[in-house]
Amino acid sequence: MSFTVAIDGPAAAGKGTISKAVAAHFGFAHLDTGLLYRAVGAKVIAGAEPIAAAETLDPVELENDRLRTPEVAQAASEVAVIPQVRDALIAFQRTFAARDGGAVLDGRDIGTVICPDAPAKLFVTASAECRAERRFQELLGKGMDVSLEQVIADVKERDARDRSRATAPLLPAEDAVLLDTSDLTIDEAIAAAINIVQNARS
Ligand code: CDP
């Protein structure tokens, strides 16, 4: 049986960590949909045309550590504005969401566009300062050469672009439960998310 958990929110809000933990707790599969846009962005940086890059995207291309850089994140949010790019990625996401055994998808438009009927929807937020600081530490931990100023600028610029685009803008679904992680530890945020999903299951 399928059961879809939709987790949306702005850049570096903790969606990835929370989604992985929720998926592990319930034994669901997890798809980080940001990676689809990052992979398309990386192909565009390498010279590809955005719509063709999305239409020919192979899941193998998602397994690449270089997709995590702020440069690729920016390219991702630029291609994510293009409706045909988004369209090309819909079928893959919906098929993943409908898989037997349950699925967690995290992104920007999962609860609003990709899976509007998902029984569990979360919108994860945190203050821009918290998000930038967390992402900065995460990138440093991966050995990347970034400055806090660069990370703050990336997060703010992408949020503004993601919120203001005409197609599938970043916004909570009407029936999403809001989870502000600014003052929560990782464990507290995960526990709160598991609780929200558990409530939606029963
Ligand atoms: O990890 P982080 O929250 O920083 O970003 P991400 O989830 O990897 O997404 C990178 C970019 O892809 C975002 O800034 C969005 O522009 C775009 N994206 C989107 O438009 N729709 C999604 N479902 C997921 C990501």
Side-chain angles (χ1 to χ4, degrees):
M1 234 188 73
S2 73
F3 184 92
T4 308
V5 180
I7 302 189
D8 293 304
K15 300 181 302 291
T17 307
I18 290 172
S19 300
K20 277 192 205 100
V22 167
H25 179 86
F26 292 100
F28 296 165
H30 169 229
L31 178 65
D32 170 357
T33 66
L35 276 183
L36 302 171
Y37 294 90
R38 285 175 183 258
V40 174
K43 286 168 83 171
V44 169
I45 290 173
E49 191 278 321
I51 298 169
E55 286 173 346
T56 58
L57 191 67
D58 189 299
V60 170
E61 293 170 301
L62 306 180
E63 291 155 31
N64 181 347
D65 276 350
R66 275 175 303 181
L67 298 183
R68 295 288 172 196
T69 64
E71 187 197 8
V72 172
Q74 277 295 331
S77 85
E78 282 165 24
V79 300
V81 170
I82 305 168
Q84 296 94 320
V85 165
R86 306 198 69 85
D87 283 350
L89 303 175
I90 288 179
F92 180 77
Q93 295 175 83
R94 289 197 177 141
T95 302
F96 191 98
R99 64 167 54 195
D100 254 357
V104 180
L105 283 78
D106 74 280
R108 301 292 185 288
D109 62 339
I110 309 303
T112 51
V113 174
I114 303 298
C115 304
D117 297 329
K121 294 184 188 176
L122 282 79
F123 194 83
V124 181
T125 60
S127 68
E129 295 71 29
C130 277
R131 292 187 286 116
E133 176 63 29
R134 287 180 194 160
R135 178 53 53 89
F136 178 57
Q137 295 301 339
E138 181 188 332
L139 295 175
L140 282 188
K142 290 196 164 123
M144 286 184 204
D145 181 21
V146 287
S147 69
L148 181 58
E149 289 67 34
Q150 186 190 0
V151 176
I152 291 174
D154 167 57
V155 162
K156 286 194 173 162
E157 195 180 333
R158 283 197 291 133
D159 282 356
R161 196 182 289 122
D162 291 348
R163 287 197 171 104
S164 65
R165 69 181 173 224
T167 307
L170 167 67
L171 89 178
E174 267 177 30
D175 51 350
V177 180
L178 299 187
L179 177 58
D180 187 331
T181 65
S182 303
D183 299 319
L184 301 181
T185 64
I186 290 175
D187 287 347
E188 287 168 343
I190 290 170
I194 288 174
N195 208 21
I196 293 165
V197 176
Q198 190 59 57
N199 286 339
R201 286 188 99 196
S202 46

